[in-house]
Amino acid sequence: DAKTTQPPSMDCAEGRAANLPCNHSTISGNEYVYWYRQIHSQGPQYIIHGLKNNETNEMASLIITEDRKSSTLILPHATLRDTAVYYCIVRVAAGGKLIFGQGTELSVKP
Amino acid sequence: ETGVTQSPTHLIKTRGQQVTLRCSSQSGHNTVSWYQQALGQGPQFIFQYYREEENGRGNFPPRFSGLQFPNYSSELNVNALELDDSALYLCASSSGTVPYGYTFGSGTRLTVV
């Protein structure tokens, strides 16, 4: 079973920040938080990952709480092309499967 | 660098038949995983290969089998197809460098009738 809990759906206005929450209260010390997204009929796309520090790349920012029991993916200026299902996954770094939950379906609206 | 490519993109098979799906890993990647995604669900892990050896398997019956070749490309074989095998089959590769993410292909849409 997935070790994460996400809201099933969210809406965001185009140009605004999209903040996608994820709960992972049973995360272990050696597990990373990964985010992927899946645009309709395509394979999942890697977005970002982190262990305990906040991370930022060209796509998004990842904020992990100090106790590591939850995190938030931030898309700073959402566009219509960001409409997708976003998956939050926890896994050990050194290999192993990705366990996908149901994800959050983000709809970016004009 | 090239990404992960899967073939064919779409396939229709009859119940009871056998199917082989193919995956070319991203250049430099030595680990490949296969996932099954039913409509409206998240991908489910089938198995993973590292340097031609299976090193992890999900809750799928033995009629799901795979191979990884010396060039790290891979095949997924499914025997005795059932209607419930209809799904999007995704291949993902990684370099094995810790910590690493997976690069996914666009998948093969299999329909069993």
Side-chain angles (χ1 to χ4, degrees):
Chain A
D1 291 340
K3 296 181 67 173
T4 61
T5 304
Q6 299 176 252
S9 63
M10 292 182 62
D11 289 339
C12 178
E14 188 178 19
R16 303 296 295 268
N19 297 283
L20 291 88
C22 179
N23 288 319
H24 31 79
S25 58
T26 61
I27 191 170
S28 301
N30 63 344
E31 288 182 316
Y32 284 69
V33 179
Y34 283 78
W35 284 83
Y36 284 77
R37 72 179 181 184
Q38 188 172 25
I39 297 170
H40 183 63
S41 297
Q42 297 181 22
Q45 176 191 23
Y46 166 81
I47 302 173
I48 198 168
H49 74 276
L51 183 61
K52 54 184 177 181
N53 298 319
N54 298 337
E55 302 288 344
T56 296
N57 63 19
E58 65 277 5
M59 291 182 67
S61 294
L62 174 61
I63 309 298
I64 303 174
T65 58
E66 191 169 345
D67 63 7
R68 302 208 323 122
K69 292 185 177 182
S70 65
S71 60
T72 301
L73 179 74
I74 301 172
L75 307 177
H77 306 286
T79 70
L80 299 179
R81 289 178 295 178
D82 292 322
T83 292
V85 178
Y86 287 77
Y87 295 100
C88 171
I89 300 165
V90 297
R91 63 183 284 256
V92 296
K97 57 190 174 185
L98 298 173
I99 302 177
F100 289 83
Q102 295 297 314
T104 295
E105 186 168 8
L106 175 68
S107 295
V108 180
K109 301 180 184 298
Chain B
E1 58 182 19
T2 59
V4 176
T5 57
Q6 295 186 240
S7 62
T9 55
H10 295 82
L11 199 54
I12 299 175
K13 287 287 190 178
T14 303
R15 187 173 52 183
Q17 285 188 314
Q18 178 267 342
V19 68
T20 298
L21 310 181
R22 294 179 174 82
C23 171
S24 294
S25 302
Q26 181 169 316
S27 178
H29 285 187
N30 56 20
T31 302
V32 65
S33 303
W34 286 90
Y35 290 79
Q36 180 196 66
Q37 187 173 24
L39 204 59
Q41 303 295 316
Q44 300 294 308
F45 175 75
I46 302 175
F47 45 57
Q48 177 170 286
Y49 281 81
Y50 171 68
R51 295 186 175 179
E52 304 177 59
E53 296 288 331
E54 184 181 299
N55 73 340
R57 188 177 182 90
N59 188 27
F60 281 82
R63 60 190 184 85
F64 285 78
S65 62
L67 282 172
Q68 187 182 29
F69 300 99
N71 66 355
Y72 302 132
S73 65
S74 178
E75 288 183 354
L76 165 65
N77 299 288
V78 187
N79 294 321
L81 283 167
E82 301 177 358
L83 297 179
D84 285 348
D85 295 334
S86 295
L88 180 68
Y89 287 85
L90 295 161
C91 171
S93 71
S94 66
S95 66
T97 302
V98 175
Y100 57 85
Y102 285 87
T103 302
F104 281 81
S106 296
T108 294
R109 173 71 63 186
L110 173 65
T111 302
V112 182
V113 297

